[in-house]
């Protein structure tokens, strides 16, 4: 029996709020199949009804008063995306007291007043989900809370502020000074007009506090952690670090010490260039989690932005459905929204082909002719000049072609008089 | 009110089974806090009671007959780690029919007969969890199934066989031939005595089938996918690829095509050296998942091994508890198992210190003296020789020291007559 739709309310229709609405509408079919329920945005509260928006507001139930959302008993779940602390706190608290489920992406709210809110949730048997509060689209909260539940988390090292990572990447790779890199980040929309909370390290610190609190089951107070931003990092530091074999990253570090203390801090830090965290460039985020059972794991993706952050909000909404409906998102759900497996002959890629040929003129021409007959373009050819054998390898890279055509061409090439051994064919993947 | 313990049964006590037992015992306290239930291994079935084992069997309820486990009504959840297909199928089916929850790490079983087993589970309102079946300790099943639930998965590109990745890494980095690299992998325990299923690509293919089926909600038949192993990859191919700017990896590729077909294949593939997948070395696994909402995400970790795989099995057991007990693993659980946040003054690392000094002899000596007085060793010094200013930068890297000592030394250095500007201090992190 199909369940009734889940009616949700959005508090805030800024960048992320609009993204949640847009993507819930766009992927409604697959979400219904996977969760067993239709998810409907039933009510929206915004600050300014007349603001011009890239994503249009729904036609009904839009207002500027948060209590409209709190008092709407049809709304089972609210998504808090208004930002800030005091007004958001009051809204989340009132919603929990009404027994509503709360999904929030508000890291400052949770870091500063999460302890109080989780107590309110417990008293009212309601629930708070907050995947979107840390590292945008990367499912780090669920991973630490559920997948790694059997582990003592030994350490977390995260690049969890995309703005800072963009600025440091540009200083390092394009030789920009700090101010120029910040300016560029602002022009590209990667930094806000007032970038203070990003560049002073506190955005990363709020996320680190949430991760540390979750990992260690106790709320880490904001005034007990050490936070340094990137404002003082200069071009000479980037260059010295480079000379020394390092890249400068703003790292959030959480560490469990054997004397049973927890270290939490955010600081610009030198990371060895061959370390996996050094390869995290631009606005991307990555979090290296080490557990006593699982060992080292890394989670990488977009740490901010409308779509990635909505992916996490929608995941949380689906989790709330799954919690209510034990058959929901947790099971293996079959449906026919995607069609059937593709025949491999139709799959397209570039290729690498190595052919062992008798070393005389004309061999390459014969191979090229066969490839041309199958409509396969040649990207490059390597034919080593020095060799002592009678036969020599020719290595080619080939342009995009269906695998079926490629196999047919390879079979013809294999039959050439000048060819010895079965040719070696591999894909060149641009994944 | 504390809940009664969850009694589980282990079918199989090989490498992973023993790891699950060992780690459940080791981390029992934290699991009890986080899930709200004590998890107890109540019964174990093994093939050979007399086999010598690194992890000792429990003292009670150990036998060689799987029906002992199936018929034990106290056991609510069984962990299937016996491997193979037919015997495992019969055991899992019978357990589901008894209403037991099943946790399995058996990729071949699910790829070949998952469709039947999930139907049995549905009929009996029982559940199958299988995080350990794909990519060891990396929580890719939960990520695709739950975190990315709001996404159409556009593509998955995975290095999901550690044996093959080890062999290819050693061929590439140590110049070994295929046979020598395989031999080395066997000696290190990274390849089995009979490595066929790994090197012929089918272990990766089974995992790809599970990921594709989960992503697209339909079971992909084993005979409809294309699988090539790494047996034919030779040293010359590795070298040619290198010349061309590529690294050879065994990639599992899953792609959704707009004409509504699903491509699933496993093939040795050339990956550009600066691609993040190229940096996945040795026995590590990584899976690049692209969703239409989240964009590009990557999940990296140990793809096999006793401990990483047990981490996934234990995560699944906790999920089963959480499903039954809606207050379980899903909430933010507070406890005091870890103690309090550490004072940042006590946190230890290496450091980078840049000081702007008046360019005359003795400046470095004064700085070095202060560092020495605080017990801080110097690792390296860079002092550019050419400069036109009156003052010059000195960049030092310093040995491990408590942050408090480092701050005190920095404050003294800042007060030296020869020092201009506030010195810049950063951490050198070996995360």
């Amino acid at each position: 029996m199909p369940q009734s739709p889940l009616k949700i309310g959005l508090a805030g229709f800024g960048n992320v709020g609009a993204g949640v609405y847009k993507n819930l509408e766009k992927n409604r079919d697959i979400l219904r199949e996977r969760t067993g329920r239709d998810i409907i945005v039933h009510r929206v509260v915004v600050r300014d009804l007349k603001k011009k928006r890239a994503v249009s507001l729904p036609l009904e139930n839009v207002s500027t008063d948060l209590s409209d959302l709190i008092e709407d008993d049809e709304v089972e779940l609210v998504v808090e995306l208004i930002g800030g602390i005091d007004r958001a706190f009051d809204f989340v608290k009132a919603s929990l007291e009404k027994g509503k489920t709360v999904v929030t992406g508000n890291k400052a709210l949770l870091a500063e007043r999460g302890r109080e809110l989780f107590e309110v949730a417990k008293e009212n048997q309601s629930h708070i989900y907050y995947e979107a509060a840390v590292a945008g689209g990367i499912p780090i909260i669920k991973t630490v809370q559920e997948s790694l539940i059997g582990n003592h988390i030994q350490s977390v090292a995260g690049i969890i502020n995309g703005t800072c990572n963009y600025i440091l990447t540009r200083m390092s790779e394009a030789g920009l000074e700090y101010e120029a890199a910040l300016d560029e980040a602002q022009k590209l929309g990667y930094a806000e007009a007032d970038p203070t909370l990003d560049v002073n390290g506190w955005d990363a610190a709020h996320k680190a506090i949430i991760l540390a609190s979750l990992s260690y089951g106790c709320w880490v107070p904001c005034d007990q952690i050490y936070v340094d931003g990137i404002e003082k990092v200069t071009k000479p530091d980037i260059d010295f670090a480079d000379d020394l074999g390092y890249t400068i990253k703003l790292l959030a570090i959480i560490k469990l010490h054997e004397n049973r203390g927890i270290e939490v801090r955010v600081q610009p830090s030198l990371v060895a260039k061959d370390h996996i965290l050094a390869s995290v460039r631009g606005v991307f985020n990555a979090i290296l989690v080490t557990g006593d059972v699982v060992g080292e794991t890394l989670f990488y993706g977009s740490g901010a932005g409308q779509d990635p952050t909505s992916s996490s909000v929608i995941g949380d909404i689906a989790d709330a459905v799954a919690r209510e409906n034990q058959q929901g998102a947790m099971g293996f759900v079959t449906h026919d929204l995607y069609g059937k497996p593709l025949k491999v002959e139709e799959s397209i890629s570039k290729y690498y082909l190595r052919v062992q040929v008798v070393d005389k003129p004309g061999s390459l021409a014969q191979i090229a002719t066969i490839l041309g007959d199958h409509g396969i373009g040649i990207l490059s050819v390597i034919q080593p000049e020095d060799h002592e054998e009678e036969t020599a390898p020719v290595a080619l890279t080939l342009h995009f072609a269906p695998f079926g055509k490629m196999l047919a061409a390879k079979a013809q090439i294999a039959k050439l008089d000048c060819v010895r051994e079965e040719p070696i064919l591999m894909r060149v993947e641009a994944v």
Side-chain angles (χ1 to χ4, degrees), chain A:
Chain A
M1 193 186 70
Q3 283 194 291
S4 62
L6 174 75
K7 294 186 181 175
I8 73 170
L10 296 184
F13 204 83
N15 189 34
V16 178
V20 170
Y21 178 67
K22 178 187 77 177
N23 288 304
L24 277 175
E25 292 296 312
K26 178 181 165 216
N27 288 355
R28 167 174 283 183
D29 289 354
I30 190 71
L31 272 164
R32 190 193 303 116
E33 292 289 344
R34 288 174 179 161
T35 67
R37 284 185 85 172
D38 217 6
I39 297 166
I40 290 174
V41 176
H42 180 69
R43 187 171 286 282
V44 177
V45 177
V46 296
R47 205 180 269 271
D48 177 4
L49 287 169
K50 290 180 184 150
K51 189 178 162 188
K52 271 208 149 184
R53 295 168 194 276
V55 177
S56 302
L57 285 164
L59 297 175
E60 289 183 4
N61 300 335
V62 180
S63 72
T64 58
D65 188 349
L66 285 170
S67 54
D68 292 346
L69 204 42
I70 297 163
E71 300 302 328
D72 187 338
D73 291 336
E74 286 186 65
V75 170
E76 291 177 52
L77 180 152
V78 297
V79 181
E80 185 275 303
L81 296 164
I82 57 180
I85 294 181
D86 293 342
R87 189 161 165 260
F89 178 85
D90 294 339
F91 169 71
V92 169
K93 183 164 181 279
S95 298
L96 292 169
E97 285 168 348
K98 280 277 186 180
K100 295 187 200 301
T101 300
V102 173
V103 174
T104 177
N106 193 330
K107 61 220 71 161
L109 173 66
L110 292 178
E112 303 270 355
R113 304 190 69 181
R115 180 197 295 268
E116 296 161 76
L117 288 176
F118 277 87
E119 276 168 20
V120 175
K122 199 172 177 183
E123 281 162 25
N124 292 278
Q125 293 186 296
S126 43
H127 298 283
I128 304 172
Y129 295 87
Y130 53 101
E131 185 66 80
V134 182
I138 305 173
I140 191 66
I141 297 297
K142 185 180 273 280
T143 295
V144 170
Q145 184 161 272
E146 300 178 19
S147 300
L148 303 184
I149 193 168
N151 288 258
H152 290 284
I153 304 296
Q154 295 171 311
S155 69
V156 177
I159 295 172
I160 51 180
N161 183 280
T163 307
C164 290
N165 203 52
Y166 182 83
I167 292 170
L168 293 173
T169 302
R170 293 296 291 164
M171 288 175 74
S172 168
E173 294 182 3
L176 300 183
E177 293 287 350
Y178 172 77
E179 290 299 340
L182 171 57
D183 191 53
E184 189 181 276
Q186 286 174 318
K187 281 188 182 133
L188 291 166
Y190 297 153
E192 298 187 40
D194 176 1
T196 312
L197 266 180
D198 288 316
V199 299
N200 74 7
W202 269 99
D203 173 82
H206 284 145
K207 296 167 185 167
I209 285 167
I210 295 170
L211 280 177
S213 303
L214 176 64
S215 300
Y216 299 115
C218 59
W219 283 96
V220 174
C222 288
D223 58 2
Q224 284 184 32
I225 75 164
Y226 186 87
V227 183
D228 251 359
I230 63 163
E231 307 103 316
K232 289 184 203 157
V233 178
T234 63
K235 192 68 199 31
D237 295 314
I238 300 270
D239 295 339
F240 282 129
D242 187 64
D243 289 347
L244 293 161
Y246 294 97
T247 303
I248 297 179
K249 296 289 184 189
L250 183 70
L251 288 192
I253 298 283
I254 301 166
K255 255 187 219 165
L256 176 66
H257 289 274
E258 286 189 13
N259 56 3
R260 300 170 64 79
I262 306 154
E263 180 178 346
V264 185
R265 55 185 166 81
V266 174
Q267 287 174 280
S269 306
L270 279 68
V271 179
K273 281 183 205 170
D274 63 356
H275 192 282
I276 193 161
L277 285 175
S279 69
V280 178
R281 302 170 56 244
V283 292
F284 277 90
N285 279 200
I287 302 155
L288 186 68
V289 182
T290 307
D292 67 335
V293 181
V294 75
E296 212 169 77
T297 54
L298 179 101
F299 306 91
Y300 168 94
S302 295
Q306 182 176 63
D307 288 333
T309 310
S310 340
S311 174
S312 287
V313 170
I314 295 170
D316 278 353
I317 295 170
D319 261 9
V321 174
R323 186 201 289 263
E324 263 188 57
N325 167 14
Q326 296 188 333
Q327 306 304 323
M330 309 288 279
F332 189 104
V333 180
T334 60
H335 51 78
D336 58 2
L337 289 180
Y338 289 112
K340 298 289 164 231
L342 192 77
K343 285 201 176 71
V344 76
E345 289 75 15
E346 297 168 21
S347 73
I348 287 170
S349 68
K350 295 184 187 176
Y351 300 92
Y352 163 88
L353 181 70
R354 178 170 59 82
V355 189
Q356 198 74 12
V357 295
V358 178
D359 190 21
K360 58 179 185 188
S363 304
L364 181 59
Q366 291 179 50
I367 293 167
T369 302
I370 292 173
L371 290 167
D373 290 346
H374 288 83
I376 302 168
I378 295 174
L379 289 168
S380 74
V381 179
I382 301 183
Q383 202 167 12
E385 282 179 30
D386 295 332
H387 52 88
E388 293 166 10
E389 316 294 323
E390 254 180 67
T391 66
V394 183
L396 303 104
T397 55
L398 306 172
H399 216 285
F400 287 106
F403 193 54
K405 293 258 184 212
M406 190 63 240
L407 285 180
K410 180 189 155 205
Q412 276 196 20
I413 290 167
K415 285 185 200 148
L416 288 174
D417 284 342
C418 64
V419 170
R420 300 285 177 273
E421 303 179 14
E422 180 71 14
I424 295 293
L425 177 67
M426 286 189 263
R427 303 261 191 176
V428 177
E429 288 291 353
V431 283

